[in-house]
Amino acid sequence: MGVPPAEPLHLRRSGTSLLIDFSTGEPAMLHFGADLGPALPDLSLLGDAVPHSALDIPVTLGLIPQASSGWRGRPGLRGHRNGQAFSARLRVVGVEQAEAGSAVITQADAEAGVTVRTEVRINDGGLLQLRHRLHNDGADPYSLDELAAVLPVGRAATEVLDLTGRWCRESHPQRLPLHQGTWVRSGRHGRTGHDAPLLLAAGTAGFGNRHGQVWAVHLGWSGNHESFVDAVADGRTVIGASELLGAGEIVLAPDTGYETPWLFAAYSAAGLDGISDAFYAWFRGRPHHPGSRSGKARPVTLNVWEAVYFDHRLPVLLELAESAAGLGVERYVLDDGWFRGRRNDTAGLGDWYVDEERWPGGLAPLVDAVTGHGMEFGLWVEPEMISEDSDLARAHPDWIAGPATHATPGLPGSNGRLPERWRHQQVLDLVNPDAWQYVFGRLDALLREYRISYLKWDQNRDLTEMGHAGRPSVHDQTLAVYRLLDELRKAHPGVEIESCSSGGGRVDLGILERTDRIWASDCNDALERQTIQRWTGLVVPPELVGSHVGPTTSHTTARTHDLSFRAVTAMFGHFGLEWDVRHLAGSERTELAAVIALFKEYRPLLHSGRMVRADEPDPSLRLHGVVSHDGAEALFALVSVATSYAEFPGRICLPGLLPDAAYRVEALYPAAEDRRAFLQTEHPAWLAGGVDATGRFLAESGLPMPVLNPEHGLLLAVRRATADTPAATGGHAVRNS
Ligand code: GLA
């Protein structure tokens, strides 16, 4: 076929380089990491040594690592043609460089009958994207077991960090030393999973938020997946991810192909904050990104779930709407319980008609009241599911997905076996075009009938034993869900969609390509949320992370927190309420209204700036903030998550500002004299009226902080002094005492 190009491929952007050499005929990945600059040495002189007891050639780390080149780590491609053609020998047949920072590399093996086309680009901001498309050129079916996207990691990396979790405790970090061997995180939930890594990172010893080298990947996929760091005995380490395919799930007919999900990757020389910078820049560069850049600020949201649960009574819901509007809420979301037969979570999924008994006038009286108050109306749906106790399941028992090969699993008298129930529900087989069309039709009709601006799109179970016509079908189901979202968005371009999956069970860049925010967790406990949001925010910017002020005593942990801690926590996200706000005591209502006003004031900054997380040595304290890209303003939160070993916190550094600029720092909320938040006989003097300091002083020496009670936080406003305003903030402190 083609001749390998003489020139190596060197993609360089925003401080990151990817270097691929073609001199062996195989795309050899030489470097992913810091920008190497324009001048390269003669790469033909840089082949590795050949050790004893090894292949007689230097082993190439290919774009798709393969045994035919001697790679003994995790292979990039596993597949076969009925047991034959099990080992491909892919060689480059073409390299196209369309625009700066991007390329398409094509490799083929005529004997094995496969071609792989790889798209790779480094986006503005440094986020790398890579995906493969494998084509079956042969005359027989090709069974694909795995096609992985990998990148080399620098030798300096000695530690691995990723995230894990469970329902109500998503996105918790775990760290381990990097030894030889493979660290694999597998997700077999049929959805992304509450325990999904979100980010898998390898870095230099002790890498932190703002120091150390880090190489990190994320797979933009909402089905089964594997992410791994493979430290091979030859001394090389790769990091990568792939879709985890079921037995026989992908069998490619002649002249058909399979495309991997996008692998997203970033390198940072300045810790995890640099990784977030790359992801945030990518998100915010998208033309459809919601938030300040698109001109439409993220509306303050009230979701009624924890206020009423399934108890839908129109007078209560109307009162709630009026109360919310009075507080400054801008979007009102009616959660689960509005559709036919849905009195609890045992029935009704699939019957997407407004329940005539509970809602004799339809949803119109509520929608009209909500929109009449100037708020948007949002509605909860769970389109991928079906209750066995539903008209839909009674009419179409064969639409329930399961392992059976015949058309009607679950029908009395048939031998179809259904998967175990989860929250009493089953999965609707959206690979079945009739089922897909039915759901699309119902959602489309609802969106046409009512002024719905927002869907809370839920997905509340793992896809266990997910099958269509006897074959595993997580892959096809995931694509069917994507298509459902894509088509609905096309038909209703103004409607925003939230991705919820029992909280954060589906947080990934595949779903976020077609939704406008995620519900990070069903846990509204501010203490838990401090961790969940901090680590979800590693990848997902705050304007896409729903974060609500919940009830005083959390419904999922029974912990009680002051409003100030709940509000300071919810502030660093897409702010909202999930609380029965109808009967708040006078001062609490005033305080909540002031908090909402404060959020609106800082919303443009919070939803566009750089996320900064200090490497705070006291484990009881956390400091994070958002700094505007021009360094002119910032909002920080100092948060106490436990009692400290220290009597007082001493000086805490505020990093990320312009070193030579002069700033004014003011304590914003809660007020210094709030006795619930602080335990001290005197607070540091600057807290009363603010202080002027340079960015360098704030970052290197810091400010003395008050003694926060555990599970409390303090908001700090930072504004750069201009020529005519000597370092004055425009912020208005919330007075709550
Ligand atoms: C899931 C969601 C919740 C709520 C309920 C409704 O658990 O995560 O926020 O919408 O469903 O049943």
Side-chain angles (χ1 to χ4, degrees):
M1 285 171 92
V3 241
E7 290 299 311
L9 177 71
H10 188 192
L11 301 181
R12 295 176 57 213
R13 218 161 186 188
S14 304
T16 298
S17 272
L18 175 72
L19 180 61
I20 300 180
D21 179 42
F22 300 104
S23 49
T24 63
E26 183 182 9
M29 290 206 281
L30 296 189
H31 174 86
F32 169 57
D35 185 3
L36 299 174
L40 295 174
D42 179 352
L43 299 180
S44 69
L45 302 176
L46 302 187
D48 280 309
V50 175
H52 276 289
S53 186
L55 288 170
D56 296 338
I57 48 155
V59 170
T60 304
L61 166 55
L63 183 56
I64 295 174
Q66 42 190 350
S68 56
S69 307
W71 187 254
R72 287 151 299 154
R74 188 181 165 117
L77 169 63
R78 287 187 299 114
H80 59 94
R81 221 174 267 289
N82 202 14
Q84 311 277 300
F86 65 93
S87 180
R89 185 174 165 81
L90 292 163
R91 287 294 176 266
V92 66
V93 292
V95 178
E96 303 151 47
Q97 222 174 327
E99 48 188 278
S102 85
V104 177
I105 301 162
T106 307
Q107 305 175 75
D109 178 352
E111 224 169 280
V114 290
T115 299
V116 182
R117 191 174 180 273
T118 303
E119 289 169 76
V120 59
R121 58 173 174 257
I122 303 179
N123 297 287
D124 224 5
L127 190 69
L128 182 143
Q129 278 179 266
L130 191 155
R131 74 174 167 194
H132 304 301
R133 184 179 170 81
L134 181 140
H135 190 261
N136 178 10
D137 308 325
D140 318 308
Y142 183 82
S143 302
L144 182 68
D145 295 333
E146 181 176 7
L147 183 55
V150 300
L151 288 161
V153 168
R155 287 183 66 238
T158 56
E159 286 180 12
V160 174
L161 175 139
D162 64 20
L163 307 185
T164 185
R166 59 164 169 82
W167 178 71
C168 275
R169 196 180 191 272
E170 296 85 343
S171 291
H172 274 59
Q174 55 183 6
R175 237 177 218 269
L176 57 148
L178 176 59
H179 296 303
Q180 286 194 346
T182 313
W183 172 249
V184 188
R185 294 295 312 285
S186 308
R188 292 191 172 83
H189 303 277
R191 56 175 164 171
T192 323
H194 289 90
D195 62 345
L198 187 63
L199 193 80
L200 174 61
T204 47
F207 69 89
N209 292 315
R210 301 188 57 80
H211 64 87
Q213 291 190 76
V214 187
W215 293 259
V217 295
H218 165 89
L219 190 70
W221 183 241
S222 314
N224 291 331
H225 51 85
E226 276 193 341
S227 303
F228 51 87
V229 178
D230 191 16
V232 185
D234 71 10
R236 284 175 283 192
T237 299
V238 301
I239 191 165
S242 59
E243 181 182 4
L244 183 56
L245 297 170
E249 186 163 12
I250 301 287
V251 179
L252 297 173
D255 206 26
T256 63
Y258 163 88
E259 192 167 71
T260 67
W262 280 111
L263 179 82
F264 294 85
Y267 164 78
S268 165
L272 293 166
D273 280 2
I275 300 289
S276 298
D277 283 346
F279 276 96
Y280 287 19
W282 177 81
F283 272 111
R284 290 171 174 166
R286 303 172 308 160
H288 58 281
H289 185 70
S292 309
R293 271 182 64 122
S294 66
K296 187 180 176 239
R298 306 298 272 148
V300 172
T301 299
L302 174 120
N303 180 297
V304 306
W305 179 239
E306 293 202 355
V308 302
Y309 291 103
F310 289 107
D311 188 9
H312 283 197
R313 279 175 287 160
L314 185 59
V316 172
L317 291 165
L318 289 173
E319 200 188 337
L320 202 48
E322 189 178 346
S323 181
L327 286 166
V329 169
E330 298 160 315
R331 174 183 282 161
Y332 177 102
V333 181
L334 181 66
D335 211 278
D336 195 357
W338 58 268
F339 48 97
R340 247 181 226 167
R342 186 70 165 176
R343 301 289 184 277
N344 50 48
D345 61 11
T346 62
L349 293 171
D351 295 345
W352 302 112
Y353 296 87
V354 179
D355 188 87
E356 294 84 353
E357 263 175 49
R358 276 184 160 192
W359 295 87
L363 296 178
L366 183 62
V367 178
D368 291 348
V370 165
T371 51
H373 285 303
M375 296 185 289
E376 294 182 0
F377 181 80
L379 190 66
W380 181 95
V381 289
E382 195 179 356
E384 302 154 61
M385 298 292 156
I386 180 165
S387 303
E388 287 174 52
D389 183 2
S390 66
D391 292 344
L392 188 69
R394 282 181 281 274
H396 301 284
D398 56 313
W399 287 7
I400 300 176
T405 46
H406 55 79
T408 52
L411 258 193
S414 85
N415 66 352
R417 178 171 61 79
L418 290 181
E420 292 295 337
R421 293 182 197 125
W422 177 307
R423 206 191 187 205
H424 315 285
Q425 66 199 53
Q426 297 285 2
V427 182
L428 184 68
D429 180 9
L430 290 171
V431 184
N432 177 330
D434 296 335
W436 188 98
Q437 198 55 52
Y438 163 78
V439 177
F440 177 85
R442 284 316 309 146
L443 295 176
D444 182 58
L446 283 162
L447 291 173
R448 281 179 204 284
E449 184 173 354
Y450 296 109
R451 281 178 63 194
I452 297 170
S453 311
Y454 178 81
L455 289 177
K456 176 178 175 183
W457 184 295
D458 215 335
Q459 195 281 22
N460 283 320
R461 68 159 291 166
D462 278 7
L463 275 56
T464 47
E465 294 193 286
M466 184 70 198
H468 173 81
R471 279 199 120 95
S473 65
V474 171
H475 175 82
D476 287 345
Q477 177 84 1
T478 307
L479 293 180
V481 172
Y482 285 175
R483 199 159 55 83
L484 192 57
L485 285 158
D486 292 344
E487 293 300 321
L488 276 167
R489 283 163 72 90
K490 230 186 274 165
H492 303 276
V495 175
E496 283 192 16
I497 301 178
E498 168 177 53
S499 166
C500 174
S501 185
S502 305
R506 187 156 67 182
V507 179
D508 65 78
L509 271 56
I511 203 75
L512 271 165
E513 254 310 82
R514 37 200 48 99
T515 51
D516 302 286
R517 75 169 210 172
I518 47 118
W519 182 228
S521 180
D522 277 352
C523 186
N524 288 317
D525 173 328
L527 181 64
E528 299 295 330
R529 278 277 180 159
Q530 279 295 331
T531 302
I532 295 168
Q533 289 175 197
R534 183 182 196 115
W535 291 95
T536 302
L538 205 53
V539 168
V540 188
E543 62 271 25
L544 300 183
V545 181
S547 65
H548 295 172
V549 172
T552 311
T553 297
S554 163
H555 290 189
T556 53
T557 64
R559 273 197 201 105
T560 296
H561 289 123
D562 291 348
L563 174 55
S564 72
F565 184 47
R566 282 137 64 214
V568 167
T569 303
M571 195 71 70
F572 287 81
H574 180 184
F575 182 93
L577 311 175
E578 192 149 339
W579 185 16
D580 188 352
V581 289
R582 289 176 303 149
H583 308 297
L584 303 183
S587 66
E588 200 163 40
R589 191 170 167 84
T590 317
E591 185 178 343
L592 183 57
V595 159
I596 291 173
L598 191 69
F599 168 73
K600 288 179 181 170
E601 184 183 342
Y602 282 91
R603 175 166 55 188
L605 165 67
L606 286 165
H607 291 177
S608 66
R610 298 177 71 177
M611 185 61 79
V612 167
R613 307 169 193 93
D615 288 302
E616 173 51 46
D618 180 343
S620 77
L621 291 175
R622 298 198 188 148
L623 183 113
H624 57 260
V626 175
V627 180
S628 65
H629 283 272
D630 62 2
E633 54 169 343
L635 186 70
F636 284 96
L638 176 68
V639 173
S640 147
V641 293
T643 53
S644 173
Y645 56 78
E647 289 176 349
F648 57 90
R651 286 187 184 180
I652 304 265
C653 297
L654 305 182
L657 299 162
L658 301 175
D660 295 320
Y663 291 95
R664 177 143 194 92
V665 185
E666 283 190 354
L668 207 56
Y669 174 64
E673 57 276 11
D674 187 330
R675 289 173 159 267
R676 298 165 306 174
F678 306 103
L679 188 67
Q680 55 201 355
T681 49
E682 251 178 68
H683 52 70
W686 71 268
L687 223 68
V691 66
D692 296 334
T694 61
R696 189 184 312 281
F697 186 90
L698 293 170
E700 303 300 336
S701 185
L703 296 180
M705 290 294 167
V707 186
L708 276 166
N709 269 324
E711 297 169 33
H712 281 85
L714 174 66
L715 282 184
L716 303 166
V718 181
R719 207 150 286 191
R720 188 177 180 182
T722 60
D724 15 281
T725 53
T729 74
H732 307 290
V734 176
R735 298 287 151 189
N736 56 323
S737 48

